[in-house]
Amino acid sequence: MGLTGAGLTGAGLAGAGLAGARRPSAGSRPVLLAVAHGSRSAAGVAANRALLHRVRALRPDLDVRCCFLDLARPALPEALAALDGRAAVLVPLLLGGGYHLRADLPGALAAAGLTRLPLARALGPHPLLAAALADRLAATGRPAGAGPVVLAAAGSSDPAANADTARTAELLADRLGDGSPVVPAYLSAARPTPREAVAALHAAGHRHVAVATHLLAPGFFADRAAATGARWTSAPLGTHEALARLVALRHDEARVASLAAAR
């Protein structure tokens, strides 16, 4: 399944056609500071950096930087200090809302004296995220209409974050367009787990169940998502083109909102 019709146009992506343009000097470009969870998995950290490499290729008008909330460097406070007064937008590499977005990130901005620095929304829910999930699922060889899908998300104790996962499940079902139900499931802090969801679907008579991995990168949660007994399990989202475009879009939305508020 390709990206046609995935919603890739719009004012927020006005810079997407700049990939072949001359790159402005580093000091003149605004900063897109992406902040990821961080991981003990070297492959997981590398996947976040690879995604941002793709964003750089898409948007040479931006100085795209990476930092982490935990377990990897540079840490968010270091990256904020390194801005040194540059115009910037903080873009969370988070697939839904929750405590990080509501408390941790605003708290870090306040501690750095940067309360006016724009903070973008979480990446999801969004049709571009659903497009990436559908493509990863198609890459497993699952035929259209083959049966129900379990959306395996990290999970949260925050009901609003889990509601974002449920909305992404609805968007993925719409994107698949084959009548297959998509059941949200959570790898921590909420129920059902992906294994429980797959088992319940099998018990209900569905022989063929797929798992759509609603994660950015390899690591502990991705390993758990792959151990459910489903017939097909998609890879993490990684460097999917739609995801790179979504990172750029969230930057643009926050930047536009900040400029409008300053008028």
Side-chain angles (χ1 to χ4, degrees), residues 52-139:
L52 295 177
H53 180 75
R54 187 152 197 173
V55 176
R56 288 186 193 97
L58 187 69
R59 294 295 299 274
D61 58 313
L62 297 174
D63 180 358
V64 178
R65 304 182 185 183
C66 182
C67 65
F68 299 91
L69 285 165
D70 198 9
L71 301 173
R73 301 282 298 275
L76 176 57
E78 294 175 88
L80 291 173
L83 290 174
D84 196 25
R86 295 270 298 280
V89 173
L90 186 60
V91 180
L93 299 186
L94 305 174
L95 297 178
Y99 187 81
H100 287 316
L101 200 59
R102 189 178 70 250
D104 288 342
L105 298 182
L109 291 175
L114 295 172
T115 54
R116 291 191 174 186
L117 191 146
L119 174 60
R121 296 166 56 194
L123 298 180
H126 194 277
L128 282 170
L129 180 55
L133 287 163
D135 275 0
R136 290 289 185 250
L137 196 56

Side-chain angles (χ1 to χ4, degrees), residues 47-261:
N48 286 310
R49 295 190 187 282
L51 170 62
L52 295 177
H53 180 75
R54 187 152 197 173
V55 176
R56 288 186 193 97
L58 187 69
R59 294 295 299 274
D61 58 313
L62 297 174
D63 180 358
V64 178
R65 304 182 185 183
C66 182
C67 65
F68 299 91
L69 285 165
D70 198 9
L71 301 173
R73 301 282 298 275
L76 176 57
E78 294 175 88
L80 291 173
L83 290 174
D84 196 25
R86 295 270 298 280
V89 173
L90 186 60
V91 180
L93 299 186
L94 305 174
L95 297 178
Y99 187 81
H100 287 316
L101 200 59
R102 189 178 70 250
D104 288 342
L105 298 182
L109 291 175
L114 295 172
T115 54
R116 291 191 174 186
L117 191 146
L119 174 60
R121 296 166 56 194
L123 298 180
H126 194 277
L128 282 170
L129 180 55
L133 287 163
D135 275 0
R136 290 289 185 250
L137 196 56
T140 67
R142 173 191 177 271
V149 175
V150 172
L151 183 66
S156 173
S157 58
D158 185 333
N162 295 333
D164 283 347
T165 298
R167 176 57 183 150
T168 297
E170 294 172 356
L171 291 172
L172 177 57
D174 290 343
R175 178 70 186 180
L176 293 173
D178 59 12
S180 299
V182 178
V183 178
Y186 310 95
L187 290 154
S188 67
R191 307 288 285 274
T193 67
R195 181 183 285 275
E196 289 170 342
V198 169
L201 289 166
H202 283 160
H206 297 284
R207 293 179 55 205
H208 304 311
V209 179
V211 168
T213 301
H214 187 239
L215 301 168
L216 285 176
F220 175 75
F221 280 160
D223 291 344
R224 288 187 62 190
T228 64
R231 179 165 181 178
W232 304 280
T233 300
S234 65
L237 294 163
T239 60
H240 195 285
E241 180 185 355
L243 195 62
R245 291 181 178 272
L246 184 52
V247 172
L249 173 62
R250 291 306 194 211
H251 166 277
D252 292 348
E253 291 173 340
R255 182 70 175 153
V256 168
S258 175
L259 291 173

